[in-house]
Amino acid sequence: MDKNKIKKTLKEFLNESNFKKLSFLANPFLEEFVTKYVELCKPKSVFISSGSQEDLDYIRKKAIENGEEAFLKIEGHTIHFDAYGDQGRDRENTKILLDTNKGDWLDHFFVTGERNEHLEEIHNLLKDIMNGREMFVCFFTLGPCGSEFQIPCVQITDSAYVAHSENILYRQGYNEFTKVFRKEEFFKFVHSQGEVDERHVSKNLSKRRIFIDLEGETVFSVNTQYGGNTIGLKKLAMRLAIAKASREGWLTEHMLIMGVRGPENRITYFTGAFPSMCGKTSTAMLEGETIVGDDIAYLRVIDGVVRGVNVEKGMFGIIQGVNSVDDPIQWKTLHSKGEIIFSNVLVLEDGSVYWIGHDGRVPEKGLNHSGEWFRGKRDAKGKEIPPSHPNARFTVSLEMFENVDKNLDNPNGVQIHAIVYGGRDSDTWVPVCQSFDWEHGIILKGASIESETTAATLGKEGVREFNPMSNLDFLSIPLGKYIQINLDFGLKARQKPLIFGVNYFLKDKNGNFFNEKNDKKVWLKWMELRVWGEAGARKTPCGYIPLYEDLKKLFKDVLNKDYSHSDYTGQFTIRIPENLSKIERLKKIYSSLKDIPQRVFILYDEEIKRLKDARECFGDYIPPDKFEVIK
Ligand code: SPV
Ligand code: MN
């Protein structure tokens, strides 16, 4: 684009102060990008956010004025609603753009689209879409400032709610843009909520589109407001970062990072990958431990050790089930003054909020994502509408939590000693199990996650789905390549983190959960001891499991609970038929894909052999005490 033309267009849409803020960054690539979308979307005006307090306040004010948020009873709290039917990630219309003529390909379960065709479609949808509205241009960085993990980003949106959410969730990047060495290297996000109705929610959900252009490192999102579809730096950036990481030899993971306290206040850092709504945030928020992040981590091998950072600085957390007993820290923050956006919860007359699983009784009526709500209300399809949406969320800065880890913004991140993989699995995996080594962990734990679907995505709940590393929804490279990169990553590290598989959702014969919500705390403490060689284990065909005596002591010390031997036996019985069927299912999936590393099949066959050998000796359901004790 011609330089003079850029200047002319920017002058036409930006007032003097905004023009100055953009020019100060002296980045021709950025100016060209902004100009392109200003010309296409034709906003009424353009606001450039420098990240100053004044600019952040302006965006907050606009979210209220535009009707995207409303004040609640407690100071700093606001409510935002998404359109009915826009409360989860839209998998079907989230597409990765590929240029198949150039040989680009992805496995069959990815939703993809031909690049040129889809760029044309989205640019047609974006045409004049911001007519009469203000465009916000915001700068952020993924990962801590001044760190080798850092990726600069620019977000264009006509939603003050999206800009406001990002101001809470991400580190400001305006100043970082003045330092960016390669000025063309930044991720770009373009979002428009499209036409809205009288409730200020997106009207054209049938034209909801989220297109990820890896080649242009740009993501487009239109006709939607739900954070998972619109907050560019969250799951949209993740696809770009996974592709970038795969080129550069590091990892972008759907992982929490937390500090687990061991004896004498030692802190050992863990990452944990769990599909959405499977306990990731509640693990990261366990009382007595510290949180670095609850959703997305970048991992690099630096000086022979694995180090990780939280890509974000805030939490877009699931609110359903948060109560004063199980989640005291979240409960306290959600009831304190400070900047919090609640989304898709129930708002009562006095401006207080209610969600499913909140302490106390279900209110009679209020305002929710369906409009005026009353008990027993049904939607157009006859489905009963709950008081809050199961994927209702809160957006808050991690600084608002008393358990935030002191290394949140450490540019070097934290050293990762353990990696935990878990899914929603009612009948197969034991509650906690350590892999034999790195390869076994990546393949038999990470790449073998299956999880029953939840409300985090639109569609049916409770269906068992393959979800390797809990990252399948966010991958942008072929799965075989991703697994290979994971295998290689550990080989580069002199000190490899231990890898564990966990299952918080195991059920007994009567369909009741074997464990209570906070039992996970005991599993963490056991894993922490394993990292330092301070707990024994039994060797099963699937990996190492805890000794009864160790768990009994931990249950008493940590939760003041008596842990019976029969609980141990029920929970840690190795279920041979279920484990064998699981591996057969996985082998079938992997056999249908291209370029899967041979090690995957070799390790599956080895595990099958171990399971069958054990069955020969002890039968189908093997109580833990049958297995040999190792150091
Ligand atoms: C998840 O669903 O995994 C989330 C929320 O963390 S979203 O932003 O929708 O991805
Ligand atoms: Mn997530």
Side-chain angles (χ1 to χ4, degrees):
M1 232 188 262
D2 174 60
K3 260 194 198 159
N4 290 327
K5 170 130 191 331
I6 290 180
K7 202 165 168 190
K8 187 166 163 276
T9 308
L10 290 176
K11 285 230 149 135
E12 193 185 315
F13 285 87
L14 278 65
N15 68 16
E16 203 183 320
S17 105
N18 284 298
F19 183 83
K20 250 193 181 155
K21 282 193 269 184
L22 187 61
S23 311
F24 178 75
L25 296 177
N27 185 328
F29 300 97
L30 178 65
E31 287 177 9
E32 183 170 340
F33 170 68
V34 174
T35 305
K36 180 171 173 185
Y37 289 97
V38 160
E39 270 192 330
L40 183 67
C41 305
K42 295 252 170 16
K44 181 180 72 189
S45 60
V46 180
F47 180 75
I48 305 286
S49 171
S50 70
S52 66
Q53 194 55 52
E54 190 187 340
D55 287 2
L56 302 186
D57 290 345
Y58 178 82
I59 288 170
R60 273 217 310 258
K61 189 177 87 187
K62 283 290 163 179
I64 299 285
E65 279 177 19
N66 297 347
E68 292 178 77
E69 291 175 36
F71 289 123
L72 293 168
K73 188 171 162 187
I74 299 178
E75 196 182 316
H77 292 197
T78 55
I79 174 72
H80 164 80
F81 291 117
D82 300 309
Y84 194 73
D86 194 25
Q87 273 83 23
R89 280 185 275 110
D90 181 354
R91 277 180 172 169
E92 211 179 304
N93 290 300
T94 302
K95 297 188 183 177
I96 299 190
L97 308 190
L98 300 178
D99 192 338
T100 51
N101 291 326
K102 281 197 197 152
D104 291 353
W105 66 277
L106 284 172
D107 305 291
H108 62 80
F109 40 66
F110 286 79
V111 187
T112 61
E114 200 54 56
R115 181 167 188 258
N116 289 336
E117 212 176 280
H118 282 74
L119 285 179
E120 195 182 322
E121 180 185 346
I122 202 87
H123 283 83
N124 282 336
L125 284 170
L126 285 167
K127 200 161 178 302
D128 300 334
I129 202 166
M130 296 186 188
N131 253 333
R133 283 207 210 121
E134 183 168 20
M135 174 193 274
F136 300 90
V137 181
C138 307
F139 304 90
F140 301 99
T141 110
L142 293 164
C145 297
S147 111
E148 72 177 279
F149 291 91
Q150 174 181 4
I151 302 176
C153 299
V154 58
Q155 170 84 57
I156 288 180
T157 178
D158 59 4
S159 162
Y161 158 71
V162 168
H164 181 199
S165 300
E166 288 182 329
N167 285 338
I168 296 176
L169 293 171
Y170 301 95
R171 298 160 177 110
Q172 293 296 325
Y174 183 82
N175 290 328
E176 300 305 305
F177 262 76
T178 61
K179 301 178 206 155
V180 177
F181 180 62
R182 290 165 67 100
K183 287 186 182 273
E184 69 274 38
E185 272 190 24
F186 52 91
F187 287 175
K188 302 176 265 304
F189 305 96
V190 181
H191 165 252
S192 171
Q193 53 197 344
E195 262 183 272
V196 294
D197 68 10
E198 64 288 349
R199 300 184 64 217
H200 311 281
V201 300
S202 294
K203 217 164 127 178
N204 300 320
L205 296 189
S206 64
K207 291 193 195 136
R208 181 168 51 201
R209 299 285 182 273
I210 301 112
F211 291 168
I212 296 147
D213 178 25
L214 300 176
E215 191 177 323
E217 296 202 315
T218 308
V219 184
F220 304 92
S221 159
V222 297
N223 294 316
T224 173
Q225 287 160 321
Y226 170 65
N229 296 327
T230 59
I231 297 173
L233 278 88
K234 204 168 196 34
K235 295 309 198 317
L236 311 185
M238 220 174 145
R239 275 73 162 215
L240 303 181
I242 286 175
K244 185 176 166 69
S246 79
R247 294 191 299 270
E248 298 173 358
W250 47 280
L251 297 177
T252 296
E253 295 301 313
H254 193 205
M255 281 179 175
L256 65 85
I257 304 182
M258 70 185 296
V260 179
R261 244 182 260 275
E264 285 162 29
N265 263 339
R266 155 180 87 200
I267 292 187
T268 307
Y269 290 99
F270 280 51
T271 63
F274 299 77
S276 312
M277 303 187 82
C278 292
K280 191 149 50 73
T281 301
S282 62
T283 304
M285 287 300 290
L286 279 171
E287 215 183 352
E289 321 298 357
T290 62
I291 179 169
V292 181
D294 84 317
D295 200 31
I296 309 170
Y298 291 162
L299 304 178
R300 285 176 183 261
V301 175
I302 300 172
D303 298 331
V305 306
V306 174
R307 303 196 71 89
V309 296
N310 182 4
V311 166
E312 316 180 277
K313 71 159 185 79
M315 188 187 281
F316 180 53
I318 293 169
I319 207 161
Q320 176 162 317
V322 171
N323 65 67
S324 61
V325 177
D326 295 324
D327 314 280
I329 307 172
Q330 290 176 79
W331 182 265
K332 188 170 156 200
T333 298
L334 293 175
H335 291 85
S336 312
K337 278 191 212 165
E339 196 173 359
I340 304 178
I341 310 173
F342 292 81
S343 58
N344 304 316
V345 296
L346 182 71
V347 179
L348 309 182
E349 216 157 20
D350 67 351
S352 61
V353 294
Y354 178 88
W355 54 83
I356 304 169
H358 188 284
D359 293 17
R361 282 165 52 94
V362 183
E364 292 296 326
K365 59 184 174 68
L367 198 64
N368 79 358
H369 57 291
S370 73
E372 294 289 343
W373 177 87
F374 46 88
R375 263 206 247 176
K377 182 176 179 187
R378 292 180 184 274
D379 69 10
K381 290 185 185 145
K383 197 174 155 221
E384 183 158 348
I385 303 170
S388 61
H389 191 275
N391 197 29
R393 301 219 169 216
F394 58 91
T395 305
V396 64
S397 163
L398 286 174
E399 282 148 27
M400 296 252 305
F401 293 118
E402 62 196 34
N403 57 334
V404 63
D405 190 272
K406 60 179 189 302
N407 285 308
L408 171 63
D409 290 318
N410 187 335
N412 300 318
V414 294
Q415 182 178 348
I416 306 301
H417 284 282
I419 297 177
V420 181
Y421 291 108
R424 189 173 285 265
D425 164 9
S426 50
D427 62 6
T428 309
W429 276 7
V430 295
V432 61
C433 180
Q434 181 192 336
S435 69
F436 297 121
D437 55 26
W438 178 266
E439 260 196 327
H440 181 247
I442 292 297
I443 296 171
L444 266 304
K445 304 295 178 218
S448 301
I449 296 179
E450 291 178 300
S451 194
E452 289 140 32
T453 48
T454 66
T457 53
L458 307 170
K460 201 163 164 355
E461 289 176 41
V463 180
R464 180 145 45 195
E465 271 193 347
F466 170 63
N467 194 353
M469 282 69 170
S470 85
N471 215 357
L472 193 66
D473 278 356
F474 314 115
L475 288 188
S476 52
I477 58 173
L479 185 53
K481 185 171 173 186
Y482 173 66
I483 292 176
Q484 189 62 54
I485 291 167
N486 267 271
L487 291 172
D488 295 346
F489 186 76
L491 299 181
K492 281 191 292 195
R494 180 173 31 82
Q495 232 179 307
K496 296 179 200 3
L498 301 187
I499 301 181
F500 298 88
V502 300
N503 180 14
Y504 301 158
F505 301 93
L506 188 65
K507 289 183 177 170
D508 64 18
K509 282 201 193 79
N510 304 321
N512 300 318
F513 287 116
F514 261 121
N515 293 103
E516 287 177 31
K517 204 166 162 181
N518 279 335
D519 289 359
K520 52 171 92 79
K521 197 163 170 133
V522 170
W523 317 143
L524 280 172
K525 297 292 191 195
W526 179 75
M527 293 186 265
E528 202 275 342
L529 294 174
R530 288 293 296 166
V531 165
W532 302 107
E534 295 171 12
R538 287 180 187 275
K539 187 177 180 191
T540 78
C542 312
Y544 305 118
I545 59 168
L547 302 178
Y548 170 65
E549 307 77 70
D550 288 341
L551 289 184
K552 184 175 154 75
K553 179 168 187 316
L554 285 171
F555 266 99
K556 195 75 203 164
D557 292 352
V558 177
L559 299 174
N560 195 23
K561 260 169 64 170
D562 293 318
Y563 186 63
S564 72
H565 196 273
S566 71
D567 281 347
Y568 173 69
T569 304
Q571 293 165 15
F572 287 90
T573 284
I574 299 295
R575 296 154 177 82
I576 304 281
E578 284 81 358
N579 274 285
L580 285 173
S581 338
K582 178 182 170 76
I583 299 178
E584 289 305 337
R585 281 196 300 274
L586 293 164
K587 271 180 73 175
K588 195 162 157 210
I589 297 174
Y590 280 115
S591 309
S592 76
L593 304 176
K594 236 173 42 178
D595 297 346
I596 297 300
Q598 269 312 305
R599 294 300 290 161
V600 171
F601 301 103
I602 294 170
L603 266 68
Y604 278 150
D605 287 341
E606 286 174 5
E607 185 119 331
I608 291 176
K609 179 164 187 315
R610 282 191 300 269
L611 286 162
K612 287 187 173 166
D613 288 350
R615 183 169 61 185
E616 286 284 295
C617 299
F618 306 113
D620 274 343
Y621 294 91
I622 313 178
D625 290 346
K626 297 282 183 213
F627 297 105
E628 160 204 11
V629 175
I630 55 131
K631 215 7 227 141

